[in-house]
Amino acid sequence: MTVTIFSIFTAAIFIFNIILAAALVFLERRDASSTWAWLLVLFFIPIFGFFIYLLLGRRLRKKTLFKWKGNKRIGIESLIAQQMNELHDNSFAFKDYNTKKYKDLIYLHLRNNGALLTQDNSVQIFNDGREKFNSLIKDIEQATNHIHIQYYIFRLDELGTRIVNALTEKAKEGVKVRLLYDDMGSRSLSKRHFKQLIEAGGEVETFFPSILPIINPRLNYRNHRKISVIDGQVGYIGGFNVGDEYIGLSRKFGYWRDTHLRIEGSALHPLQTRFVRDWNQASTRHDIEYDEFFFPVKPAKGNTSMQIVSSGPDEDWEQIKDGYLKLIHLARDYIYIQTPYFIPDASFYDAIRIAALSGIDVRIMIPNKPDHPFVYWATYSYAGQMLRAGARVFIYDNGFLHTKMIVTDNKASTVGTANIDVRSFKLNFEVNAFIYDEKISTDLAELFHRDVKLSTELTYEMYLDRTRMIKTKESIARLLAPIL
């Protein structure tokens, strides 16, 4: 009798796995590598594999998550059409000849993402967390109208408490304060932790909150963006989250090397729009309606050209990845990449491999320590493969490298939240600044060269000499790479 029950139970599991596998192959129409990775999980870890799939594998329903009627009020749609037409008939007025060289990439972002090109921006680069957050808090303290803050990770430790206290004081002064955080990235938080800020008049919202008290069944589809906009005059975008580790106070990670941008200029309009859309998706009672003080008209602050590009699983295209690929294809002299996770899909891997084989100086910098072990060993594996193609790989030794940056030819660059992995390309909501400016790109390249001095170069001989244990870890991580 026991044998019969066990046999029936085993057969039921087998049939259930077949049904789910068929659904993966025939209904969801994933790419082949992702499908095979999930098939391995389902068949080698029955039952548990199903629950892992529920947490990580379900697709986001394709629906419009970020509607906002204010687009028409600020003329974004008409400006997009105008810029596309002028680029198409070569009548667009470029303020800088260098920017014109990237006309195809600019057009791609306009058509693919509705990312306006703005040419009057002033940009300040931060690569140290203390300097970045000191600047942000100073701008918060000077706010007179509104403060919009959005982070994937927000911790109420020393740094987070300092920021919340500054926001609370501004709310008491009558400044409209809105704080948005991701429920999974900031899973230790709830709105009750912001009681004083809310009582002072501030508003706090959570992106994709859990319907369960402990486990969030939507581990994927997280809002990985980090955006701050103060008074529509000053904005921040980049890789730093809010937490003590991001200012170098973590014993595990030590110094935290990241990159963030402070922006003044017309790029604040699309950055503000991105925040408003994310806020309205998360808000249940406090939707933001259009008001002209969100989009002030002001004199030009600089001459840096840029586009604010966002991507997410609600879209049909992988906009930021497409921008990365086009930037790589346009490179003629060098491509410098800094990323904590280098787990490229086939298209990105082929693009960077071909660039290296073509004689372009390809240099990739990754961390020397993992914050996610499987991700780290997959990164190490792909980096090792790039050495065969002639790329140079550097292991950053001065703490933890979290920067998401690509710079090419001292002319164009991108900084933001998107890593080089499937999660950032397909599963997370991300945002990057694509910059067409010789000075900013040169400054970013110089920071890369400075970091090289704090790194160990990984040679192909060193990679071949790795231990059997490392090879095993790499093999397992590579199998799971499409779903990491």
Side-chain angles (χ1 to χ4, degrees):
M1 182 67 178
T2 304
V3 175
T4 303
I5 294 174
F6 179 77
S7 299
I8 294 173
F9 181 70
T10 303
I13 293 175
F14 181 73
I15 294 171
F16 182 76
N17 272 346
I18 290 177
I19 294 172
L20 186 56
L24 275 172
V25 174
F26 296 108
L27 298 180
E28 295 212 355
R29 296 185 181 273
R30 297 170 180 267
D31 61 86
S33 60
S34 178
T35 297
W36 278 111
W38 278 116
L39 289 176
L40 286 171
V41 170
L42 291 172
F43 280 104
F44 283 99
I45 318 176
I47 300 181
F48 290 107
F50 170 68
F51 287 107
I52 293 173
Y53 172 76
L54 289 179
L55 291 173
L56 295 174
R58 293 182 303 161
R59 283 180 175 272
L60 185 71
R61 292 183 180 180
K62 296 288 185 179
K63 60 181 180 180
T64 303
L65 296 174
F66 303 103
K67 286 184 177 180
W68 186 47
K69 297 179 181 179
N71 280 0
K72 294 182 179 180
R73 296 288 298 276
I74 58 176
I76 286 181
E77 293 174 357
S78 60
L79 285 172
I80 291 169
Q82 178 183 335
Q83 288 194 354
M84 286 180 62
N85 289 334
E86 291 177 352
L87 286 169
H88 190 266
D89 62 20
N90 294 315
S91 63
F92 188 86
F94 288 100
K95 294 184 178 180
D96 177 58
Y97 178 75
N98 171 68
T99 306
K100 188 176 182 179
K101 297 177 182 178
Y102 295 90
K103 183 182 74 171
D104 291 351
L105 175 56
I106 294 166
Y107 188 90
L108 169 70
H109 286 319
L110 277 164
R111 183 173 182 179
N112 203 17
N113 193 236
L116 288 171
L117 176 70
T118 57
Q119 304 184 87
D120 62 350
N121 303 290
S122 173
V123 177
Q124 182 178 0
I125 302 170
F126 291 101
N127 61 279
D128 178 84
R130 290 184 182 274
E131 293 178 0
K132 180 258 176 174
F133 285 109
N134 285 340
S135 177
L136 174 62
I137 291 171
K138 181 179 179 181
D139 285 328
I140 288 173
E141 292 172 345
Q142 295 177 351
T144 59
N145 186 276
H146 66 275
I147 301 169
H148 292 162
I149 303 287
Q150 172 182 352
Y151 282 97
Y152 171 64
I153 295 174
F154 199 107
R155 304 194 198 284
L156 283 179
D157 48 21
E158 179 183 326
L159 175 62
T161 300
R162 185 181 168 204
I163 291 174
V164 170
N165 288 342
L167 294 174
T168 302
E169 289 303 311
K170 298 309 293 187
K172 290 178 179 178
E173 295 174 12
V175 174
K176 192 63 180 178
V177 174
R178 296 179 176 92
L179 172 63
L180 173 64
Y181 64 88
D182 183 85
D183 186 69
M184 180 55 60
S186 309
R187 51 188 172 272
S188 63
L189 290 185
S190 66
K191 290 185 181 180
R192 62 183 174 83
H193 290 107
F194 298 95
K195 180 180 179 182
Q196 290 184 332
L197 173 59
I198 294 172
E199 288 179 348
E203 296 174 2
V204 179
E205 294 291 353
T206 310
F207 189 87
F208 277 7
S210 174
I211 58 175
L212 300 176
I214 299 176
I215 300 175
N216 192 324
R218 289 190 286 195
L219 294 181
N220 286 332
Y221 315 128
R222 308 316 314 178
N223 197 318
H224 197 234
R225 296 166 182 149
K226 297 95 176 169
I227 294 172
S228 301
V229 180
I230 294 95
D231 288 345
Q233 302 281 351
V234 177
Y236 290 80
I237 181 175
F240 283 107
N241 287 295
V242 175
D244 285 351
E245 66 266 40
Y246 299 96
I247 56 175
L249 296 181
S250 168
R251 290 185 178 180
K252 176 181 178 182
F253 295 112
Y255 182 75
W256 192 278
R257 172 66 177 89
D258 219 323
T259 304
H260 224 90
L261 306 178
R262 180 184 186 273
I263 302 169
E264 295 181 79
S266 296
L268 266 294
H269 289 189
L271 195 64
Q272 181 84 283
T273 301
R274 179 70 273 161
F275 175 87
V276 171
R277 287 173 170 173
D278 286 0
W279 175 271
N280 285 355
Q281 190 285 326
S283 174
T284 55
R285 295 177 299 169
H286 304 110
D287 280 7
I288 298 176
E289 301 293 339
Y290 171 82
D291 201 303
E292 60 184 13
F293 55 66
F294 291 137
F295 304 94
V297 178
K298 51 188 180 300
K301 291 290 184 178
N303 53 15
T304 296
S305 298
M306 67 167 55
Q307 291 173 288
I308 303 298
V309 180
S310 56
S311 64
D314 60 318
E315 301 285 354
D316 293 326
W317 309 105
E318 300 164 28
Q319 291 96 332
I320 292 177
K321 188 195 79 171
D322 289 348
Y324 283 174
L325 293 178
K326 189 67 175 177
L327 194 59
I328 289 168
H329 291 320
L330 291 171
R332 294 294 176 265
D333 299 319
Y334 76 79
I335 302 166
Y336 295 164
I337 299 173
Q338 287 180 307
T339 178
Y341 317 131
F342 185 73
I343 313 176
D345 64 2
S347 61
F348 190 98
Y349 175 77
D350 285 341
I352 201 69
R353 176 182 60 83
I354 291 169
L357 289 171
S358 301
I360 293 174
D361 181 9
V362 175
R363 304 186 189 191
I364 302 166
M365 188 176 295
I366 59 177
N368 74 340
K369 60 184 72 176
D371 61 342
H372 303 291
F374 275 112
V375 174
Y376 178 78
W377 291 115
T379 292
Y380 196 77
S381 173
Y382 280 105
Q385 278 192 280
M386 289 308 307
L387 293 170
R388 293 183 58 196
R392 298 176 68 184
V393 175
F394 298 90
I395 312 296
Y396 184 74
D397 294 323
N398 190 44
F400 186 72
L401 180 75
H402 192 248
T403 294
K404 304 95 166 54
M405 183 272 288
I406 301 177
V407 58
T408 64
D409 300 345
N410 279 9
K411 293 182 174 63
S413 50
T414 178
V415 171
T417 68
N419 297 302
I420 298 172
D421 60 10
V422 173
R423 183 162 297 278
S424 279
F425 291 164
K426 292 185 176 182
L427 300 178
N428 283 342
F429 298 93
E430 308 280 3
V431 63
N432 270 49
F434 281 77
I435 305 163
Y436 315 100
D437 184 273
E438 189 168 350
K439 182 181 184 307
I440 297 299
S441 298
T442 300
D443 288 346
L444 289 170
E446 289 177 354
L447 285 173
F448 184 95
H449 287 296
R450 188 199 67 179
D451 291 335
V452 165
K453 297 177 182 178
L454 302 170
S455 305
T456 299
E457 183 166 4
L458 178 67
T459 66
Y460 192 52
E461 291 72 24
M462 292 167 60
Y463 179 72
L464 291 177
D465 196 39
R466 67 201 188 282
T467 65
R468 185 178 298 275
M469 179 59 72
I470 292 177
K471 292 178 182 178
T472 302
K473 291 178 180 179
E474 284 185 13
S475 297
I476 297 172
R478 282 291 290 264
L479 282 174
L480 298 176
I483 60 175
L484 287 175

